[in-house]
Amino acid sequence: MKNSNGSAKKAAEKQLLQEPFHVHHKLPPGDSPYVRAKFFQLVEKDPESAIVYFWKAINVGDRVDSALKDMAVVMKQQDRAEEAIEAINSFRDRCSKQAQESLDNVLIDLYKKCGKLDEQIELLKQKLRLIYRGEAFNGKPTKTARSHGRKFQVTIKQETSRILGNLGWAYMQQANYATAEVVYRKAQEIDPDANKACNLCLCLIKQSRYSEARFILEDLLGGRISGSDEPKSKNRAQELLKQIESSSQLVQLASSPFSGSSLEDALAEGLDQLMNQWTVFRSKRLPIFEEISPYRDQLAC
């Protein structure tokens, strides 16, 4: 058995030696600026040199679609997100139409990292418009996506729900929980999952609507929502339930006749909630949000 294992190891080593260098290291063939950039990125683990050669590739027109996207990703890893945003916005006109969707996805991540919520929200709405017009995925019903080296197919339905989930998250970061709630509900109607369900519950908790949040969490813990069997989702749901219990107790204490809250405090709090949800109505909105009339100004495209 030992000799068999040794022979297999030698055979694998021999195969590696026979493989071309670029195949072994998953590099594109050739010796162009883009290939050198990938060499520094993947083999030498030298991101700064990789960025230099990505710039050279863009300037000479060498695989510009990939060079610009890959350079932005490396810049983000080097905490140069602002520079990456400027690069994409300045040079995306040199890229093909097919590359624009991927560049938008990178931009959304960059805006998120930089805390540029308004820009992130606007770009997410733009992606929803493309879906409605049938222009997403270059007009195809599905696209091939990659995650951790694995390829898989994504449908328009899944993509729409994912974008809505990101949009809801962005509104949550602005503490606009009422609008985030509406977006998350629409996302759950299209393609429900445990993560968005938890975010929806958090929106409800922030609005002191504990019974509604509890009802969703019971569905999640009962295994009636996709992904609810994952330990991470269960743990988060249980944490949210604890938050509901503690918040409910505080509300009961605040409503007690022995509490120190005054009529003026209650009135001020009510006015604050009203102002936070007060929006100007407009008639134009995304068809996918047809039911969302109270929040048209924030969700309209």
mmCIF file of all heavy atoms in Angstrom, residues 180-205:
data_model
loop_
_atom_site.group_PDB
_atom_site.id
_atom_site.type_symbol
_atom_site.label_atom_id
_atom_site.label_comp_id
_atom_site.label_asym_id
_atom_site.label_seq_id
_atom_site.Cartn_x
_atom_site.Cartn_y
_atom_site.Cartn_z
ATOM 1 N N ALA A 180 -36.587 49.959 3.595
ATOM 2 C CA ALA A 180 -35.868 48.680 3.528
ATOM 3 C C ALA A 180 -36.834 47.508 3.712
ATOM 4 O O ALA A 180 -36.724 46.481 3.037
ATOM 5 C CB ALA A 180 -34.777 48.640 4.591
ATOM 6 N N GLU A 181 -37.798 47.682 4.616
ATOM 7 C CA GLU A 181 -38.795 46.622 4.842
ATOM 8 C C GLU A 181 -39.558 46.311 3.566
ATOM 9 O O GLU A 181 -39.753 45.135 3.205
ATOM 10 C CB GLU A 181 -39.780 47.060 5.931
ATOM 11 C CG GLU A 181 -40.908 46.073 6.140
ATOM 12 C CD GLU A 181 -42.156 46.709 6.732
ATOM 13 O OE1 GLU A 181 -42.059 47.814 7.317
ATOM 14 O OE2 GLU A 181 -43.242 46.109 6.599
ATOM 15 N N VAL A 182 -40.001 47.343 2.874
ATOM 16 C CA VAL A 182 -40.772 47.147 1.647
ATOM 17 C C VAL A 182 -39.942 46.400 0.600
ATOM 18 O O VAL A 182 -40.427 45.483 -0.072
ATOM 19 C CB VAL A 182 -41.242 48.505 1.087
ATOM 20 C CG1 VAL A 182 -41.974 48.324 -0.228
ATOM 21 C CG2 VAL A 182 -42.132 49.213 2.091
ATOM 22 N N VAL A 183 -38.683 46.778 0.480
ATOM 23 C CA VAL A 183 -37.804 46.143 -0.507
ATOM 24 C C VAL A 183 -37.570 44.677 -0.153
ATOM 25 O O VAL A 183 -37.627 43.793 -1.017
ATOM 26 C CB VAL A 183 -36.470 46.912 -0.599
ATOM 27 C CG1 VAL A 183 -35.516 46.204 -1.555
ATOM 28 C CG2 VAL A 183 -36.705 48.345 -1.074
ATOM 29 N N TYR A 184 -37.302 44.402 1.122
ATOM 30 C CA TYR A 184 -37.067 43.021 1.544
ATOM 31 C C TYR A 184 -38.315 42.155 1.355
ATOM 32 O O TYR A 184 -38.215 40.974 0.996
ATOM 33 C CB TYR A 184 -36.612 42.968 3.000
ATOM 34 C CG TYR A 184 -35.126 43.185 3.164
ATOM 35 C CD1 TYR A 184 -34.636 44.206 3.972
ATOM 36 C CD2 TYR A 184 -34.206 42.358 2.518
ATOM 37 C CE1 TYR A 184 -33.278 44.402 4.123
ATOM 38 C CE2 TYR A 184 -32.848 42.555 2.662
ATOM 39 C CZ TYR A 184 -32.380 43.578 3.467
ATOM 40 O OH TYR A 184 -31.034 43.768 3.612
ATOM 41 N N ARG A 185 -39.497 42.728 1.609
ATOM 42 C CA ARG A 185 -40.723 41.949 1.386
ATOM 43 C C ARG A 185 -40.860 41.563 -0.082
ATOM 44 O O ARG A 185 -41.257 40.437 -0.412
ATOM 45 C CB ARG A 185 -41.942 42.745 1.861
ATOM 46 C CG ARG A 185 -42.082 42.824 3.380
ATOM 47 C CD ARG A 185 -43.442 43.370 3.774
ATOM 48 N NE ARG A 185 -43.562 43.570 5.200
ATOM 49 C CZ ARG A 185 -43.845 42.596 6.080
ATOM 50 N NH1 ARG A 185 -44.022 41.356 5.647
ATOM 51 N NH2 ARG A 185 -43.945 42.878 7.370
ATOM 52 N N LYS A 186 -40.565 42.499 -0.969
ATOM 53 C CA LYS A 186 -40.649 42.193 -2.400
ATOM 54 C C LYS A 186 -39.616 41.139 -2.786
ATOM 55 O O LYS A 186 -39.915 40.214 -3.564
ATOM 56 C CB LYS A 186 -40.441 43.475 -3.204
ATOM 57 C CG LYS A 186 -40.487 43.289 -4.714
ATOM 58 C CD LYS A 186 -41.759 42.643 -5.190
ATOM 59 C CE LYS A 186 -42.981 43.489 -4.910
ATOM 60 N NZ LYS A 186 -44.205 42.880 -5.471
ATOM 61 N N ALA A 187 -38.403 41.242 -2.230
ATOM 62 C CA ALA A 187 -37.371 40.241 -2.522
ATOM 63 C C ALA A 187 -37.801 38.855 -2.058
ATOM 64 O O ALA A 187 -37.576 37.852 -2.746
ATOM 65 C CB ALA A 187 -36.051 40.638 -1.847
ATOM 66 N N GLN A 188 -38.444 38.793 -0.898
ATOM 67 C CA GLN A 188 -38.895 37.509 -0.356
ATOM 68 C C GLN A 188 -40.035 36.918 -1.176
ATOM 69 O O GLN A 188 -40.182 35.705 -1.264
ATOM 70 C CB GLN A 188 -39.326 37.670 1.103
ATOM 71 C CG GLN A 188 -38.176 37.882 2.085
ATOM 72 C CD GLN A 188 -37.240 36.686 2.158
ATOM 73 O OE1 GLN A 188 -36.328 36.535 1.347
ATOM 74 N NE2 GLN A 188 -37.466 35.834 3.132
ATOM 75 N N GLU A 189 -40.859 37.759 -1.770
ATOM 76 C CA GLU A 189 -41.923 37.261 -2.645
ATOM 77 C C GLU A 189 -41.338 36.580 -3.881
ATOM 78 O O GLU A 189 -41.885 35.597 -4.385
ATOM 79 C CB GLU A 189 -42.826 38.413 -3.087
ATOM 80 C CG GLU A 189 -43.742 38.963 -1.996
ATOM 81 C CD GLU A 189 -44.560 40.136 -2.506
ATOM 82 O OE1 GLU A 189 -44.682 40.261 -3.748
ATOM 83 O OE2 GLU A 189 -45.054 40.921 -1.684
ATOM 84 N N ILE A 190 -40.219 37.114 -4.365
ATOM 85 C CA ILE A 190 -39.637 36.620 -5.611
ATOM 86 C C ILE A 190 -38.816 35.351 -5.388
ATOM 87 O O ILE A 190 -38.980 34.349 -6.085
ATOM 88 C CB ILE A 190 -38.757 37.718 -6.257
ATOM 89 C CG1 ILE A 190 -39.631 38.912 -6.645
ATOM 90 C CG2 ILE A 190 -38.018 37.179 -7.483
ATOM 91 C CD1 ILE A 190 -38.838 40.124 -7.074
ATOM 92 N N ASP A 191 -37.916 35.385 -4.401
ATOM 93 C CA ASP A 191 -37.030 34.239 -4.145
ATOM 94 C C ASP A 191 -36.612 34.273 -2.674
ATOM 95 O O ASP A 191 -35.557 34.799 -2.334
ATOM 96 C CB ASP A 191 -35.802 34.305 -5.061
ATOM 97 C CG ASP A 191 -34.948 33.057 -4.980
ATOM 98 O OD1 ASP A 191 -35.516 31.969 -4.771
ATOM 99 O OD2 ASP A 191 -33.715 33.160 -5.123
ATOM 100 N N PRO A 192 -37.442 33.728 -1.785
ATOM 101 C CA PRO A 192 -37.192 33.858 -0.348
ATOM 102 C C PRO A 192 -35.956 33.092 0.120
ATOM 103 O O PRO A 192 -35.644 32.031 -0.411
ATOM 104 C CB PRO A 192 -38.464 33.286 0.290
ATOM 105 C CG PRO A 192 -39.016 32.365 -0.742
ATOM 106 C CD PRO A 192 -38.666 32.956 -2.072
ATOM 107 N N ASP A 193 -35.275 33.656 1.111
ATOM 108 C CA ASP A 193 -34.193 32.928 1.766
ATOM 109 C C ASP A 193 -34.049 33.434 3.199
ATOM 110 O O ASP A 193 -34.599 34.478 3.573
ATOM 111 C CB ASP A 193 -32.870 33.039 0.998
ATOM 112 C CG ASP A 193 -32.304 34.447 0.951
ATOM 113 O OD1 ASP A 193 -32.201 35.095 2.009
ATOM 114 O OD2 ASP A 193 -31.947 34.904 -0.151
ATOM 115 N N ALA A 194 -33.285 32.697 3.997
ATOM 116 C CA ALA A 194 -33.187 32.968 5.434
ATOM 117 C C ALA A 194 -32.477 34.288 5.724
ATOM 118 O O ALA A 194 -32.857 35.010 6.654
ATOM 119 C CB ALA A 194 -32.462 31.814 6.125
ATOM 120 N N ASN A 195 -31.460 34.603 4.952
ATOM 121 C CA ASN A 195 -30.698 35.823 5.220
ATOM 122 C C ASN A 195 -31.562 37.064 5.068
ATOM 123 O O ASN A 195 -31.577 37.946 5.934
ATOM 124 C CB ASN A 195 -29.487 35.898 4.288
ATOM 125 C CG ASN A 195 -28.656 37.141 4.535
ATOM 126 O OD1 ASN A 195 -28.191 37.387 5.650
ATOM 127 N ND2 ASN A 195 -28.472 37.948 3.504
ATOM 128 N N LYS A 196 -32.311 37.141 3.951
ATOM 129 C CA LYS A 196 -33.183 38.300 3.743
ATOM 130 C C LYS A 196 -34.331 38.313 4.757
ATOM 131 O O LYS A 196 -34.797 39.383 5.150
ATOM 132 C CB LYS A 196 -33.706 38.314 2.304
ATOM 133 C CG LYS A 196 -32.625 38.604 1.264
ATOM 134 C CD LYS A 196 -33.214 38.923 -0.098
ATOM 135 C CE LYS A 196 -33.818 37.722 -0.772
ATOM 136 N NZ LYS A 196 -32.803 36.754 -1.235
ATOM 137 N N ALA A 197 -34.775 37.119 5.175
ATOM 138 C CA ALA A 197 -35.822 37.057 6.199
ATOM 139 C C ALA A 197 -35.333 37.672 7.511
ATOM 140 O O ALA A 197 -36.069 38.415 8.171
ATOM 141 C CB ALA A 197 -36.244 35.604 6.421
ATOM 142 N N CYS A 198 -34.101 37.388 7.873
ATOM 143 C CA CYS A 198 -33.539 37.969 9.103
ATOM 144 C C CYS A 198 -33.403 39.487 8.977
ATOM 145 O O CYS A 198 -33.696 40.224 9.928
ATOM 146 C CB CYS A 198 -32.173 37.343 9.398
ATOM 147 S SG CYS A 198 -32.245 35.656 10.025
ATOM 148 N N ASN A 199 -32.981 39.952 7.818
ATOM 149 C CA ASN A 199 -32.865 41.397 7.614
ATOM 150 C C ASN A 199 -34.233 42.079 7.675
ATOM 151 O O ASN A 199 -34.368 43.186 8.209
ATOM 152 C CB ASN A 199 -32.188 41.692 6.278
ATOM 153 C CG ASN A 199 -30.706 41.385 6.299
ATOM 154 O OD1 ASN A 199 -30.094 41.302 7.365
ATOM 155 N ND2 ASN A 199 -30.114 41.209 5.139
ATOM 156 N N LEU A 200 -35.244 41.407 7.117
ATOM 157 C CA LEU A 200 -36.601 41.933 7.198
ATOM 158 C C LEU A 200 -37.051 42.020 8.660
ATOM 159 O O LEU A 200 -37.655 43.023 9.077
ATOM 160 C CB LEU A 200 -37.548 41.046 6.396
ATOM 161 C CG LEU A 200 -39.045 41.346 6.499
ATOM 162 C CD1 LEU A 200 -39.353 42.781 6.097
ATOM 163 C CD2 LEU A 200 -39.851 40.358 5.639
ATOM 164 N N CYS A 201 -36.741 41.003 9.429
ATOM 165 C CA CYS A 201 -37.096 41.017 10.860
ATOM 166 C C CYS A 201 -36.410 42.169 11.579
ATOM 167 O O CYS A 201 -37.023 42.831 12.427
ATOM 168 C CB CYS A 201 -36.697 39.699 11.517
ATOM 169 S SG CYS A 201 -37.752 38.327 11.040
ATOM 170 N N LEU A 202 -35.158 42.421 11.251
ATOM 171 C CA LEU A 202 -34.440 43.529 11.888
ATOM 172 C C LEU A 202 -35.096 44.866 11.562
ATOM 173 O O LEU A 202 -35.207 45.741 12.431
ATOM 174 C CB LEU A 202 -32.980 43.526 11.434
ATOM 175 C CG LEU A 202 -32.063 44.554 12.094
ATOM 176 C CD1 LEU A 202 -32.086 44.409 13.615
ATOM 177 C CD2 LEU A 202 -30.638 44.419 11.567
ATOM 178 N N CYS A 203 -35.558 45.018 10.300
ATOM 179 C CA CYS A 203 -36.280 46.244 9.921
ATOM 180 C C CYS A 203 -37.537 46.410 10.780
ATOM 181 O O CYS A 203 -37.856 47.519 11.228
ATOM 182 C CB CYS A 203 -36.671 46.202 8.448
ATOM 183 S SG CYS A 203 -35.287 46.296 7.298
ATOM 184 N N LEU A 204 -38.257 45.311 10.988
ATOM 185 C CA LEU A 204 -39.484 45.367 11.794
ATOM 186 C C LEU A 204 -39.168 45.671 13.252
ATOM 187 O O LEU A 204 -39.886 46.444 13.907
ATOM 188 C CB LEU A 204 -40.235 44.036 11.674
ATOM 189 C CG LEU A 204 -40.790 43.709 10.280
ATOM 190 C CD1 LEU A 204 -41.272 42.269 10.217
ATOM 191 C CD2 LEU A 204 -41.919 44.661 9.908
ATOM 192 N N ILE A 205 -38.111 45.076 13.777
ATOM 193 C CA ILE A 205 -37.709 45.334 15.159
ATOM 194 C C ILE A 205 -37.360 46.808 15.346
ATOM 195 O O ILE A 205 -37.738 47.432 16.343
ATOM 196 C CB ILE A 205 -36.521 44.435 15.548
ATOM 197 C CG1 ILE A 205 -36.975 42.980 15.634
ATOM 198 C CG2 ILE A 205 -35.910 44.874 16.886
ATOM 199 C CD1 ILE A 205 -35.833 41.980 15.774
#
